[in-house]
Amino acid sequence: MKLYIDTAIISEIREIAEWGVLSGVTTNPSLIAKSGKDFKKTIIEICEIVKGPVSAEVTVEDAAGMIEQGKEFADWDEMVVVKLPCTTEGLKACSALSHQGIPTNLTLCFSVNQALLCARAGASYVSPFIGRLEDINEDGVKLIKDIKETFRVAGIKTEIISASIRTPYHVTTVANAGSDIATIPYKLFPNMVQHPLTTSGLQKFLDDWKNSQQ
Ligand code: G3P
């Protein structure tokens, strides 16, 4: 499973990119607003930092407007992926942009049927939201397994991006469920690397080494 970071804050992207673990970045209008920075400049800067797909989300609700914005975003950098909502208008825009060779990420996906429609409309990626399903007492990880199996049976190549990841355990479970990608908030990366046995084990190695040199 590839790891993306789900943020629009440049310092966060730079820090985790230095670890060499990032394959891409996802943003959404809420994350761009939180960053307080210009949308276009932010996306272009992210593309310079991470050499992988960078999702930029449309901010209109009609297909024609989404297509227009999508074409504009795609001109900013060849790694831009146009993020579209999983709605009827989003499907129309997905189909049109896909036919023009522009990659798309269909977001706010909460069911197998939505994922199937996105794939058939030509989506490069589909983003099921794990945490938000759990917020309403539904099994987000099971959805990843079900979409994966549906895509496998149908021979669909659309990649699954597990989104709305809230805990390090979500990362583990969606990886086991066969997700192609997980897009992870910045604050979870340190939690993923830290382990008390690594910390105590390293301390012992260094202490033993130091003592042997005296
Ligand atoms: O990638 C989508 C993600 O940003 C949504 O996360 O925590 O707002 O449900 P959350």
Side-chain angles (χ1 to χ4, degrees):
M1 183 176 76
K2 285 171 274 186
L3 306 179
Y4 288 10
I5 190 167
D6 192 30
T7 182
I9 296 174
I10 297 295
S11 59
E12 295 182 348
I13 296 167
R14 273 193 205 289
E15 183 183 331
I16 307 304
E18 277 182 10
W19 298 9
V21 298
L22 289 185
S23 299
V25 181
T26 52
T27 67
N28 63 40
S30 305
L31 293 172
I32 295 284
K34 191 173 155 200
S35 79
K37 304 281 187 204
D38 177 74
F39 181 31
K40 180 178 176 182
K41 279 191 195 148
T42 299
I43 295 295
I44 291 171
E45 200 171 347
I46 295 172
C47 290
E48 284 164 7
I49 300 166
V50 177
K51 298 296 166 210
V54 175
S55 287
E57 187 161 342
V58 298
T59 52
V60 290
E61 290 182 75
D62 64 301
M66 290 179 196
I67 294 164
E68 195 183 325
Q69 281 193 341
K71 284 198 225 166
E72 185 195 333
F73 300 170
D75 275 344
W76 296 345
D77 191 285
E78 61 180 8
M79 294 314 287
V80 167
V81 173
V82 179
K83 205 169 174 193
L84 302 160
C86 189
T87 59
T88 321
E89 295 300 294
L91 291 174
K92 289 185 211 168
C94 175
S95 175
L97 291 169
S98 300
H99 279 110
Q100 294 176 47
I102 295 174
T104 54
N105 172 8
L106 276 278
T107 188
L108 291 165
C109 171
F110 295 96
S111 73
V112 172
N113 283 348
Q114 284 183 319
L116 192 52
L117 288 165
C118 295
R120 291 308 182 203
S124 320
Y125 306 92
V126 63
S127 292
F129 276 35
I130 305 308
R132 291 193 195 184
L133 273 175
E134 292 185 0
D135 289 344
I136 58 162
N137 205 27
E138 288 193 23
D139 189 340
V141 176
K142 182 170 183 302
L143 176 62
I144 299 299
K145 279 190 197 141
D146 290 347
I147 295 173
K148 185 72 183 179
E149 180 60 7
T150 302
F151 283 8
R152 188 191 66 76
V153 168
I156 288 170
K157 300 285 179 232
T158 302
E159 290 190 80
I160 302 168
I161 303 180
S162 292
S164 188
I165 295 277
R166 306 265 179 83
T167 66
Y169 191 60
H170 276 156
V171 179
T172 304
T173 51
V174 298
N176 286 332
S179 190
D180 300 287
I181 298 153
T183 190
I184 303 167
Y186 165 78
K187 66 177 181 190
L188 295 191
F189 280 93
N191 287 334
M192 287 169 66
V193 75
Q194 283 158 13
H195 195 286
L197 292 178
T198 305
T199 308
S200 59
L202 177 61
Q203 191 59 55
K204 176 93 172 66
F205 286 156
L206 294 176
D207 288 347
D208 288 349
W209 176 254
K210 211 185 284 175
N211 290 337
S212 75
Q213 301 302 300
Q214 285 166 358

